[in-house]
Amino acid sequence: MQATKKQTLYDTLRQRVLTLELAPGSALDETILCEEFGVSRTPLREILQRLAAHGYLEITANRGATVSSMNLSVMRSFFQTAPMIYASISRLAAENATPVQTTQLKAEQRQFRIAVKRNEVIDMAMSNHRFHEIIGEMAASPYLLPSLQRLQIDHTRMSQTFYKSRNRTDHERIDSACEQHEQLIEAIEKHQPATAVDITRQHWELSRHQFERYVQPDPLPIDPLSPIQAPTQVDNHAL
Amino acid sequence: MQATKKQTLYDTLRQRVLTLELAPGSALDETILCEEFGVSRTPLREILQRLAAHGYLEITANRGATVSSMNLSVMRSFFQTAPMIYASISRLAAENATPVQTTQLKAEQRQFRIAVKRNEVIDMAMSNHRFHEIIGEMAASPYLLPSLQRLQIDHTRMSQTFYKSRNRTDHERIDSACEQHEQLIEAIEKHQPATAVDITRQHWELSRHQFERYVQPDPLPIDPLSPIQAPTQVDNHAL
DNA sequence: TGAATTTTTATTGTATACAATATGTATTTT
DNA sequence: AAAATACATATTGTATACAATAAAAATTCA
């Protein structure tokens, strides 16, 4: 019966980490979470163990759980690893995707479009996350999936700023991403690995550009009195 | 104090899985393990959760933990993924390895040599596992490491037959592997990524040939009465 | 006999109480 | 007043008892 309760617990905490509702590095209070979810500490702690092993949390002995930190030292490795893993996953997905999975993917893309249209930040982040997660499932590679999932945790968290942005250029980029999703679905459905890899590469480049601005904000104008030409509202407090 | 106890529990169970002392698919009895390790079910279950999340076990709700199965359906994906991940890890290791880590790697290689000389199957398997694990640490890529670890679980388990073999050819191959380790250490120490990748590729090919015989044993002689030319004692009961 | 149902047993899941550890506060000492 | 120590509080870790679920055995009914 209460397998549902534990799953809810896992999913909810996971979402809070991914949407930055729980800030990187922040501590989790077992007692408070127990009250909130109406469970005792035993099952809660088992879930925390799982979340930690999956990379969402970090557990230190006798000092409890904290949300996984996103430090700059791993960024390099993120940018090195992501394109390779994403490309491999897309290739395998295009080779192995079943019709049922393609249907799932299309459904998730509809959710994403709706969230984009309504400008619902959390829904955008989560449906985009789920979209790429489904592609991961399509790849059917238990050995590649763990790395994809680790990448996605930080990718989704970094994307928050992107989704939250009320900037014109960013909105256009979100639309581009949405269009790339459609193309990717088509390539996967038609079993065209090469095309899928290429679109994935473009999709990654779009993200990468965004992240570069995020990590390294636009330089200040030379003349501090002249108005800033392209007013970008990037807040990089999270990193 | 008892953080040690839990770590021992984790390490011991992990080793039993890796050395096939616990057969793939076999069930774990919580009560028996509790008695053996002198802990109650609460901490034991937390460890089982961790082991499951790391790919050593599979936990089904209301039905307990079993050792991760090694079915043929994932073999394809294993052979597809392994060379790419191993190569990437080696490249990064050669780029980033610190002197301290290189020293560790050399120490582990000494252990491996000793185990090979003494023909200690478990020690061979575990020190070889640890050897490649250290290279994984050298790579310093939290995003690539999870896939490497998943691959290593099954790689080490499959290697058991290899190490157990009393066959002449197999022994020569183990010596080759040992020599490749030395070359790999040198490439890493001298920060030569290209060389490290190349040796890794050769090292993988050696494994792959072994696995092919393992999964698909030598064909029977055409004339069933003539003696078998190369008596290979490959027992592929585990797969 | 044999299929279906109930009862029993074993195993897994959860709550709670208690122990161990870490952290914060007060007190003592110089 | 500053440092050091002792004490108090909060948090984490573990054991145990009990509840829920699954599996096995026994019983019933056709």
Side-chain angles (χ1 to χ4, degrees), chain A residues 166-235:
Chain A
R166 317 215 90 263
N167 184 295
R168 171 67 172 276
T169 322
D170 287 338
H171 268 256
E172 282 169 1
R173 280 181 174 158
I174 292 173
D175 289 339
S176 298
C178 212
E179 178 53 34
Q180 287 169 344
H181 280 196
E182 303 288 356
Q183 292 171 14
L184 191 50
I185 292 171
E186 195 187 335
I188 288 170
E189 189 168 30
K190 290 185 178 171
H191 298 295
Q192 299 169 332
T195 312
V197 167
D198 193 55
I199 297 161
T200 299
R201 193 187 48 72
Q202 293 173 39
H203 198 49
W204 164 251
E205 284 302 315
L206 192 71
S207 270
R208 198 174 62 76
H209 275 100
Q210 195 55 37
F211 292 153
E212 269 170 13
R213 280 186 44 226
Y214 178 46
V215 173
Q216 186 181 323
D218 293 355
L220 294 169
I222 307 293
D223 178 2
L225 293 177
S226 73
I228 298 168
Q229 282 109 354
T232 52
Q233 306 187 1
V234 179
D235 51 344

Side-chain angles (χ1 to χ4, degrees), chain A residues 45-46 50 143 147 154, chain B residues 45-46 49 143 147 154:
Chain A
R45 283 170 59 89
E46 285 190 2
R50 284 232 291 271
Y143 304 104
S147 279
D154 289 348
Chain B
R45 284 171 58 89
E46 285 190 3
Q49 292 285 340
Y143 304 104
S147 281
D154 288 348

Side-chain angles (χ1 to χ4, degrees), chain B residues 161-217:
Chain B
T161 331
F162 191 21
Y163 295 130
K164 278 177 191 153
S165 171
R166 316 214 89 264
N167 184 294
R168 170 69 171 276
T169 323
D170 287 338
H171 269 255
E172 283 168 1
R173 280 181 175 157
I174 291 173
D175 289 338
S176 298
C178 212
E179 178 55 33
Q180 287 168 343
H181 280 197
E182 305 286 357
Q183 292 171 15
L184 191 50
I185 291 171
E186 195 187 334
I188 287 170
E189 189 169 29
K190 290 185 177 171
H191 299 293
Q192 300 170 332
T195 312
V197 168
D198 192 56
I199 297 161
T200 301
R201 192 188 47 71
Q202 292 173 40
H203 198 49
W204 164 251
E205 283 303 315
L206 192 72
S207 270
R208 199 174 60 76
H209 275 101
Q210 196 55 35
F211 293 153
E212 270 170 13
R213 282 188 41 228
Y214 178 45
V215 173
Q216 186 181 322

Side-chain angles (χ1 to χ4, degrees), chain A residues 6 30 34 39-49, chain B residues 41-43 45-46:
Chain A
K6 259 168 130 176
E30 292 185 358
C34 285
V39 289
S40 73
R41 282 177 58 224
T42 311
L44 172 77
R45 283 170 59 89
E46 285 190 2
I47 294 298
L48 294 183
Q49 292 284 343
Chain B
R41 282 177 58 225
T42 311
R45 284 171 58 89
E46 285 190 3

Side-chain angles (χ1 to χ4, degrees), chain A residues 3 6 42 45-46 49-50 53-54 61 74-78 80-81 84-85 88 91-92 95-96 140-147 150-151 154, chain B residues 3 6 42 45-46 49-50 53-54 61 74-78 80-81 84-85 88 91-92 95-96 140-147 150-151 154:
Chain A
K6 259 168 130 176
T42 311
R45 283 170 59 89
E46 285 190 2
Q49 292 284 343
R50 284 232 291 271
H54 288 151
V74 297
M75 282 299 112
R76 187 179 138 80
S77 131
F78 178 85
Q80 271 184 329
T81 313
M84 180 184 73
I85 299 291
S88 305
R91 186 172 56 78
L92 289 172
E95 287 171 1
N96 303 326
S141 175
Y143 304 104
L144 224 45
L145 216 51
S147 279
R150 289 300 201 293
L151 283 165
D154 289 348
Chain B
K6 260 170 128 174
T42 311
R45 284 171 58 89
E46 285 190 3
Q49 292 285 340
R50 284 232 290 272
H54 289 150
V74 297
M75 283 299 112
R76 187 179 138 82
S77 131
F78 177 86
Q80 271 184 328
T81 312
M84 180 183 73
I85 299 289
S88 305
R91 187 171 55 78
L92 289 172
E95 287 170 1
N96 304 326
S141 176
Y143 304 104
L144 223 45
L145 216 51
S147 281
R150 288 302 201 290
L151 283 165
D154 288 348

Side-chain angles (χ1 to χ4, degrees), chain A residues 62, chain B residues 1-8 38-39 43:
Chain A
N62 297 321
Chain B
M1 164 216 172
Q2 302 294 37
T4 314
K5 217 167 188 175
K6 260 170 128 174
Q7 194 57 45
T8 307
V39 290

